Amino acid sequence: MVTVAQARSLLFGAPRRSLAVRLPSVRDLGPNWYAAVMGTAIVGTAGDALPVRVPGLHTACAAVWTLSAVLLWVLLAARAAHWIHHRDRARAHLLDPAVAPFYGCLSMALLAVGVGALSAGRDVIGAHVAVIVAGVLFAAGTAVGLVVAVAVPYLMVVRHRVTPGTASPVWLLPVVAPMVSASFGPLLVPHLPAGQSREALLLASYAMFGISLLATLLILPVVFARLVHHGPLPLALTPALFLVLGPLGQSTTAVNKLADVAPVAIDAPYAHGLGALAVVYGVPVMGFALLWLTLAGAMVVRAARAGLPFTMSWWAFTFPVGTCVTGAQTLAGHTGLVAYEWLAIGLYALLAAAWVAAGALTVRGVLRGELLTARR
């Protein structure tokens, strides 16, 4: 005898699961996932600015930027569902010193996609829309970044239980976000009315440059001291060493882009001085970035020989390296040295390879259900 439930199943198919049943997959979706958006966006942005003309490169970069924009909206929706349906986990993330710093990735994901809208995405959405999208994402990303730059260090002091020897390059994430805003602001300066508006945005960008730079100078010595006194990071966390490249490459990019627009936003004496600062600051910082890249690369090779597993920390190989690509690109423009152009091309090849590897393994991990399940 066929029951009513069986008859309904035969006629209409199996009953659909409620929203509450389908959502557990986002229960353990942390803010670190925004790193995938950052890494994807900068592949498109940095590639579109390379000092070479390769057939199809611009189209490929536009496609990659479009992918980053789609990923951003998907993650924003998923993270909103996470906060609505799993507030206990969301609060636990904020109170976890290993997870809370990743909230800086939200700001940088918004900003990275916004920057790309004005370059690789310009032909996709149109010039006028690109400026509007960039302006909205700049405002949202900057606001989030400034809040996170204060809130996360505050939580680390008053709520987190940070034990000796646990310092990590991940601590840099909340304070790097304002530096991304500092390199984004100059792109919007020419779209503002001449006078007070342009000067205000220029100087605000320099202020955010200072916020991030000085905070980085506080944190980086602690991170290096942890490495010296307590040895290498755990295998799964080793890729995070590449995060140190973020403030280095991004600050070089910012100071050079700010110098590019200074003549249209501020008086000549200051504009000339800011142009000199771009080279005086950028050259030694890029040199240190290359030193750290070599050191971090050696540590990753060591970890790989010991069985480095794939985790979402592999996305640290993308955005930080991408900032060095854009830093080298801007230095090439200010110094005229072909060597910086070749450096940018070489670093971009590394970035592209890292993005393909991290992206492919992330897709595999999602399809297998491995990355969305917390290890307890």
Side-chain angles (χ1 to χ4, degrees):
M1 182 176 179
V2 179
T3 65
V4 174
Q6 291 172 329
R8 175 194 268 175
S9 178
L10 291 172
L11 290 173
F12 303 106
R16 294 181 178 179
R17 294 183 178 181
S18 66
L19 184 62
V21 174
R22 287 181 308 202
L23 281 176
S25 61
V26 302
R27 176 173 174 77
D28 297 304
L29 183 71
N32 59 320
W33 278 78
Y34 286 113
V37 177
M38 298 158 51
T40 302
I42 204 162
V43 168
T45 304
D48 196 57
L50 284 176
V52 291
R53 290 293 172 263
V54 178
L57 178 61
H58 176 73
T59 302
C61 290
V64 172
W65 174 82
T66 303
L67 175 61
S68 73
V70 172
L71 288 175
L72 174 63
W73 293 115
V74 170
L75 275 175
L76 287 174
R79 287 285 298 160
H82 178 268
W83 269 94
I84 293 171
H85 297 279
H86 305 292
R87 293 182 183 177
D88 60 325
R89 293 295 296 161
R91 290 170 181 167
H93 286 165
L94 279 174
L95 297 178
D96 187 341
V99 179
F102 283 100
Y103 272 89
C105 291
L106 167 58
S107 168
M108 290 186 280
L110 293 168
L111 295 168
V113 174
V115 170
L118 291 174
S119 55
R122 194 181 188 90
D123 293 340
V124 177
I125 59 179
H128 179 67
V129 176
V131 173
I132 296 174
V133 170
V136 171
L137 292 179
F138 173 77
T142 299
V144 171
L146 291 175
V147 170
V148 169
V150 175
V152 173
Y154 174 83
L155 288 174
M156 292 178 70
V157 173
V158 303
R159 296 296 299 273
H160 294 167
R161 294 181 179 179
V162 180
T163 57
T166 58
S168 163
V170 171
W171 289 7
L172 291 167
L173 289 173
V175 301
V176 175
M179 190 66 80
V180 182
S181 292
S183 65
F184 190 171
L187 303 181
L188 295 174
V189 167
H191 298 284
L192 296 177
Q196 290 284 316
S197 298
R198 290 184 177 181
E199 184 175 354
L201 181 54
L202 179 77
L203 295 184
S205 297
Y206 270 109
M208 289 185 285
F209 170 88
I211 290 171
S212 183
L213 177 62
L214 295 176
T216 297
L217 293 178
L218 286 176
I219 296 172
L220 190 53
V222 179
V223 173
F224 187 69
R226 179 256 176 264
L227 294 174
V228 172
H229 293 294
H230 298 276
L233 296 175
L235 286 182
L237 193 58
T238 301
L241 289 169
F242 275 67
L243 293 177
V244 175
L245 297 174
L248 303 176
Q250 198 69 64
S251 63
T252 302
T253 303
V255 76
N256 279 273
K257 287 186 175 181
L258 286 165
D260 288 338
V261 300
V264 301
I266 202 168
D267 294 337
Y270 298 105
H272 293 157
L274 296 176
L277 174 64
V279 176
V280 172
Y281 174 88
V283 171
V285 170
M286 183 55 64
F288 179 70
L290 294 177
L291 181 150
W292 190 271
L293 175 62
T294 305
L295 174 63
M299 297 297 291
V300 168
V301 170
R302 176 184 178 277
R305 290 176 176 175
L308 175 65
F310 172 73
T311 65
M312 288 299 290
S313 67
W314 278 41
W315 284 99
F317 295 139
T318 58
F319 189 80
V321 173
T323 66
C324 292
V325 174
T326 57
Q329 290 168 352
T330 55
L331 279 176
H334 278 258
T335 64
L337 287 178
V338 177
Y340 280 118
E341 295 182 356
W342 283 108
L343 175 61
I345 294 170
L347 290 173
Y348 187 76
L350 177 62
L351 167 63
W355 177 70
V356 170
L361 292 173
T362 299
V363 170
R364 187 186 70 175
V366 170
L367 294 178
R368 292 181 176 180
E370 299 168 349
L371 294 179
L372 293 175
T373 302
R375 294 180 180 180
R376 295 180 177 85

